[in-house]
Protein backbone atom coordinates (compact mmCIF):
# COMPACT_ATOMS: atom_id res chain seq x y z
CA UNK A 1 0.00 0.00 0.00
CA UNK A 2 1.39 3.38 -1.02
CA UNK A 3 1.46 6.08 1.65
CA UNK A 4 1.00 9.75 0.89
CA UNK A 5 3.95 12.07 1.36
CA UNK A 6 4.39 13.47 4.82
CA UNK A 7 2.96 16.92 5.44
CA UNK A 8 5.62 19.59 5.52
CA UNK A 9 6.51 20.36 9.13
CA UNK A 10 5.52 23.96 9.89
CA UNK A 11 8.26 26.31 11.05
CA UNK A 12 7.95 27.66 13.62
CA UNK A 13 6.17 24.69 15.14
CA UNK A 14 2.45 25.22 15.50
CA UNK A 15 1.80 22.55 18.11
CA UNK A 16 3.39 20.22 20.63
CA UNK A 17 1.23 17.37 19.35
CA UNK A 18 2.91 15.42 16.57
CA UNK A 19 -0.42 14.26 15.15
CA UNK A 20 -1.48 17.84 14.53
CA UNK A 21 1.48 18.38 12.21
CA UNK A 22 1.98 15.06 10.38
CA UNK A 23 -0.23 12.15 9.38
CA UNK A 24 -0.94 9.20 11.68
CA UNK A 25 1.37 6.81 9.81
CA UNK A 26 4.35 9.08 10.44
CA UNK A 27 3.39 9.58 14.09
CA UNK A 28 3.28 5.82 14.57
CA UNK A 29 6.62 5.41 12.79
CA UNK A 30 8.46 7.46 15.42
CA UNK A 31 6.72 5.90 18.43
CA UNK A 32 9.84 3.95 19.32
CA UNK A 33 12.32 3.80 22.16
CA UNK A 34 14.35 7.01 22.48
CA UNK A 35 17.61 5.19 21.66
CA UNK A 36 16.14 3.87 18.40
CA UNK A 37 14.89 7.37 17.62
CA UNK A 38 18.44 8.73 18.07
CA UNK A 39 19.75 5.97 15.79
CA UNK A 40 17.15 6.89 13.16
CA UNK A 41 18.32 10.51 13.36
CA UNK A 42 21.91 9.43 12.82
CA UNK A 43 20.96 7.20 9.88
CA UNK A 44 18.73 9.84 8.27
CA UNK A 45 21.51 12.40 8.57
CA UNK A 46 24.17 10.04 7.18
CA UNK A 47 21.95 8.95 4.29
CA UNK A 48 20.77 12.53 3.69
CA UNK A 49 17.06 11.69 4.01
CA UNK A 50 15.76 15.12 4.95
CA UNK A 51 12.08 14.20 5.55
CA UNK A 52 13.10 11.39 7.93
CA UNK A 53 15.62 13.65 9.67
CA UNK A 54 12.97 16.36 10.08
CA UNK A 55 10.40 13.90 11.41
CA UNK A 56 12.73 12.25 13.92
CA UNK A 57 14.13 15.57 15.13
CA UNK A 58 10.56 16.84 15.54
CA UNK A 59 9.69 13.78 17.62
CA UNK A 60 12.69 14.40 19.89
CA UNK A 61 11.93 18.12 20.17
CA UNK A 62 8.36 17.40 21.23
CA UNK A 63 9.47 14.74 23.71
CA UNK A 64 11.95 17.07 25.47
CA UNK A 65 9.85 20.23 25.50
CA UNK A 66 9.40 21.49 29.03
CA UNK A 67 11.95 19.18 30.63
CA UNK A 68 14.38 20.44 33.23
CA UNK A 69 18.09 20.89 32.57
CA UNK A 70 18.76 17.87 34.78
CA UNK A 71 16.39 15.71 32.72
CA UNK A 72 17.93 16.93 29.46
CA UNK A 73 21.43 16.13 30.70
CA UNK A 74 20.30 12.59 31.52
CA UNK A 75 18.59 12.09 28.15
CA UNK A 76 21.56 13.37 26.15
CA UNK A 77 24.12 11.77 28.48
CA UNK A 78 25.80 15.10 29.24
CA UNK A 79 26.67 14.39 32.86
CA UNK A 80 28.24 17.43 34.53
CA UNK A 81 29.00 19.21 31.25
CA UNK A 82 27.06 22.36 32.12
CA UNK A 83 28.35 22.63 35.68
CA UNK A 84 31.89 23.62 34.68
CA UNK A 85 30.54 26.36 32.38
CA UNK A 86 28.32 27.71 35.17
CA UNK A 87 31.22 27.64 37.63
CA UNK A 88 33.47 29.54 35.20
CA UNK A 89 30.83 32.26 34.81
CA UNK A 90 30.52 32.71 38.58
CA UNK A 91 34.31 33.06 39.00
CA UNK A 92 34.45 36.06 36.65
Amino acid sequence: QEKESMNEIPKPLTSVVLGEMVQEFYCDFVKVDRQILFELITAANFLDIKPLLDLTCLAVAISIKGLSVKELKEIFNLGDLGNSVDEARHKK
Side-chain angles (χ1 to χ4, degrees):
Q1 182 180 4
E2 191 174 321
K3 297 289 179 193
E4 62 184 274
S5 295
M6 183 177 75
N7 295 340
E8 186 171 333
I9 297 169
K11 295 171 187 88
L13 299 179
T14 56
S15 176
V16 293
V17 179
L18 190 60
E20 292 179 4
M21 292 181 276
V22 298
Q23 300 93 319
E24 183 179 0
F25 170 82
Y26 299 100
C27 291
D28 292 342
F29 185 80
V30 292
K31 286 182 184 173
V32 294
D33 178 69
R34 186 172 274 133
Q35 183 60 39
I36 292 173
L37 195 55
F38 289 154
E39 290 173 10
L40 282 170
I41 289 171
T42 302
N45 187 46
F46 180 77
L47 297 171
D48 196 27
I49 306 173
K50 185 167 176 16
L52 179 58
L53 182 61
D54 289 347
L55 176 63
T56 50
C57 287
L58 174 62
V60 170
I62 288 172
S63 74
I64 65 172
K65 184 166 177 59
L67 296 182
S68 70
V69 171
K70 181 182 177 187
E71 291 169 313
L72 292 172
K73 285 181 179 182
E74 289 174 11
I75 289 170
F76 293 106
N77 198 24
L78 297 176
D80 293 330
L81 183 64
N83 293 343
S84 59
V85 172
D86 291 337
E87 289 172 8
R89 284 184 187 154
H90 290 292
K91 288 180 182 179
K92 288 184 178 183

